Amino acid sequence: YTGYLSNRAYQPALLTSRFVQVVQEFNQKSLISISNSGCQGSCEARITGAGLVAKCSKSDSPFHLDTSLAGYQSEEEQQKATQEVIDGTDIFGTSLLWTSGGPGYDPGKSTTDWSVMAPGTFRLGVQYKGTEDCTGTLVVRNCTFKPATVTYPVAIDGNSRISLAAGTTISDDRLVQVIDIPPMSPSHTASSFNVSTYGGFFKALSDTYESTVHMDFTSIGYQIFNEGALSNRYVNASNRLERLSCSMSFRDPTDDIIADIRELMFRTAIASGESKDEQRVIAHESFETPVYASSYHFLAIAAGVSLLGWFATIPVFSGWWHLGRAVSLSPIETAKAFGAPGLNTADSNADAEAILKDIGNRRTRYGVMTTAMPERMSGYARERRFLVVGEPERVRSPQVGETFVS
């Protein structure tokens, strides 16, 4: 059940607590989780559940909002045209009425109509001004929905989250069978409620989609009366003028409303299921796997840039044959070339192997070496401290608070 009817009322008074949660998740577009889907990747399948079958038609209705009386010959015609402009027209409207054909029912408005005499069936009527002309025809669309068992095209991910398959509409739902809901009779007990399977569902639609825009003309110009927020989503941006005129027009909300009705019904069907309601379906499962493709022209460019770097270093080695021996990039030779204190007793032109034979058994220590260096301005010698790897007798341990020259 989705709603309650109070006493003898023919209108749902409240939503059930369970359905309130469904509506909140629908409004927030929350993800729908199911248990034990068995899907490890991305799955596409069809599942059976409560749904709706729709039958729609399209027509038009004339309107007149032009204050110009050109084209009207007789005074009677002019008065009639003037009165039509003064009375105005509903140029956009959505409302949910709960008494089929009862008092206040206006088929010219955009309505979602429901009745306790046919509690599973409702009719959606949409009327909007789709042209910027001040005289013409309003677009009228009517859809009748009946409860049914359908198979939904769905998508399931590896986290067992389900949704209606992207790009599908109510036309993609396959009908299994139409469900006849027996008429309801209001309770005659003053303190009781009647529960309704679909009443709360239609009340939720009413709370969301009730909106009317009425335009008429007064002595100071055109004016509109707007109720509800839905119309703001469909007014054409070009009509947001500083000065109101009869050129205001709207886009067709029908397809969006039907899509929302379908999604809310789908969420309701999922929420009404129990853990024992298990379906076994055939699904198409796919996985996303990284695939790398070689772009050989980019590879050639990258190789060329790398070779440019290699060729750029060749001039650095120019003249190496004047050294008189084979040289290498050994750390020992590099340290000797930069005057490492621990290697200063070795032959200055020795290679790494000769240096190691000469001082390979010598003990070294990492520590502080102190030297006296004269200052440029005063000429006085000033003590400088360096951290080096040197002979144990020439270095000492660093002390707390000392600073060193890099």
Side-chain angles (χ1 to χ4, degrees), residues 102 173 215 224 251 304 322:
D173 301 340
M215 174 177 282
I224 60 170
R251 301 184 304 280
H322 297 299

Side-chain angles (χ1 to χ4, degrees), residues 105-128:
Y105 177 69
D106 182 0
K109 293 184 178 180
S110 171
T111 62
T112 305
D113 184 34
W114 178 83
S115 169
V116 294
M117 300 308 296
T121 302
F122 68 101
R123 187 173 66 87
L124 171 67
V126 175
Q127 174 176 294
Y128 66 97

Side-chain angles (χ1 to χ4, degrees), residues 296-340:
Y296 292 103
H297 58 288
F298 288 115
L299 175 61
I301 293 173
V305 172
S306 299
L307 289 175
L308 285 176
W310 185 77
F311 284 114
T313 60
I314 291 179
V316 178
F317 296 96
S318 177
W320 63 269
W321 51 87
H322 297 299
L323 296 176
R325 64 174 178 83
V327 296
S328 70
L329 294 178
S330 167
I332 301 300
E333 288 193 45
T334 303
K336 177 62 178 173
F338 283 93

Side-chain angles (χ1 to χ4, degrees), residues 14 72 114 217 232 351 371:
L14 295 172
Y72 296 97
W114 178 83
F217 188 82
N232 292 293
D351 58 16
T371 62

Side-chain angles (χ1 to χ4, degrees), residues 270-317:
I270 295 293
S272 62
E274 300 179 0
S275 58
K276 64 180 181 180
D277 297 333
E278 182 178 290
Q279 294 187 36
R280 293 187 178 273
V281 299
I282 299 175
H284 177 267
E285 187 172 18
S286 60
F287 297 88
E288 291 186 0
T289 303
V291 177
Y292 299 94
S294 298
S295 298
Y296 292 103
H297 58 288
F298 288 115
L299 175 61
I301 293 173
V305 172
S306 299
L307 289 175
L308 285 176
W310 185 77
F311 284 114
T313 60
I314 291 179
V316 178
F317 296 96

Side-chain angles (χ1 to χ4, degrees), residues 69-395:
L69 298 179
Y72 296 97
Q73 303 297 328
S74 66
E75 182 178 349
E76 182 180 353
E77 289 178 344
Q78 293 178 359
Q79 290 178 350
K80 181 180 179 181
T82 301
Q83 191 61 47
E84 288 179 357
V85 176
I86 295 174
D87 293 341
T89 302
D90 285 348
I91 57 176
F92 184 93
T94 58
S95 61
L96 190 68
L97 303 179
W98 297 86
T99 304
S100 179
Y105 177 69
D106 182 0
K109 293 184 178 180
S110 171
T111 62
T112 305
D113 184 34
W114 178 83
S115 169
V116 294
M117 300 308 296
T121 302
F122 68 101
R123 187 173 66 87
L124 171 67
V126 175
Q127 174 176 294
Y128 66 97
K129 180 176 176 286
T131 175
E132 295 186 2
D133 296 336
C134 294
T135 299
T137 56
L138 303 170
V139 179
V140 179
R141 297 185 64 180
N142 291 290
C143 294
T144 300
F145 296 85
K146 291 186 177 182
T149 302
V150 301
T151 59
Y152 291 101
V154 298
I156 307 172
D157 64 16
N159 296 317
S160 292
R161 292 180 299 209
I162 189 172
S163 63
L164 292 167
T168 62
T169 66
I170 197 170
S171 300
D172 297 302
D173 301 340
R174 295 176 183 170
L175 175 64
V176 177
Q177 68 177 56
V178 176
I179 300 174
D180 292 324
I181 306 296
M184 296 177 60
S185 59
S187 172
H188 294 277
T189 305
S191 60
S192 66
F193 278 107
N194 258 339
V195 291
S196 169
T197 303
Y198 288 93
F201 179 83
F202 300 129
K203 177 171 174 55
L205 295 177
S206 172
D207 294 341
T208 305
Y209 294 111
E210 283 199 357
S211 181
T212 303
V213 179
H214 180 85
M215 174 177 282
D216 58 32
F217 188 82
T218 66
S219 58
I220 58 174
Y222 289 100
Q223 64 179 359
I224 60 170
F225 299 92
N226 184 17
E227 295 181 3
L230 186 67
S231 59
N232 292 293
R233 291 166 49 186
Y234 294 96
V235 63
N236 286 318
S238 61
N239 301 146
R240 300 181 187 276
L241 307 174
E242 294 182 2
R243 183 175 182 273
L244 184 64
S245 72
C246 59
S247 64
M248 177 176 285
S249 63
F250 296 83
R251 301 184 304 280
D252 186 2
T254 309
D255 292 340
D256 291 342
I257 296 175
I258 293 175
D260 286 350
I261 291 173
R262 178 190 182 220
E263 181 184 347
L264 181 58
M265 178 57 73
F266 174 72
R267 287 176 176 270
T268 306
I270 295 293
S272 62
E274 300 179 0
S275 58
K276 64 180 181 180
D277 297 333
E278 182 178 290
Q279 294 187 36
R280 293 187 178 273
V281 299
I282 299 175
H284 177 267
E285 187 172 18
S286 60
F287 297 88
E288 291 186 0
T289 303
V291 177
Y292 299 94
S294 298
S295 298
Y296 292 103
H297 58 288
F298 288 115
L299 175 61
I301 293 173
V305 172
S306 299
L307 289 175
L308 285 176
W310 185 77
F311 284 114
T313 60
I314 291 179
V316 178
F317 296 96
S318 177
W320 63 269
W321 51 87
H322 297 299
L323 296 176
R325 64 174 178 83
V327 296
S328 70
L329 294 178
S330 167
I332 301 300
E333 288 193 45
T334 303
K336 177 62 178 173
F338 283 93
L343 306 178
N344 54 11
T345 60
D347 185 357
S348 61
N349 199 34
D351 58 16
E353 185 177 357
I355 295 173
L356 289 175
K357 285 181 179 180
D358 184 18
I359 63 172
N361 295 325
R362 185 180 301 175
R363 294 180 60 210
T364 59
R365 177 185 178 186
Y366 180 72
V368 181
M369 176 178 285
T370 303
T371 62
M373 299 180 64
E375 294 188 352
R376 294 181 179 179
M377 300 297 294
S378 64
Y380 292 103
R382 182 177 180 183
E383 186 180 78
R384 301 291 181 92
R385 293 183 293 271
F386 302 87
L387 287 172
V388 298
V389 177
E391 299 171 356
E393 61 272 13
R394 299 186 61 184
V395 298

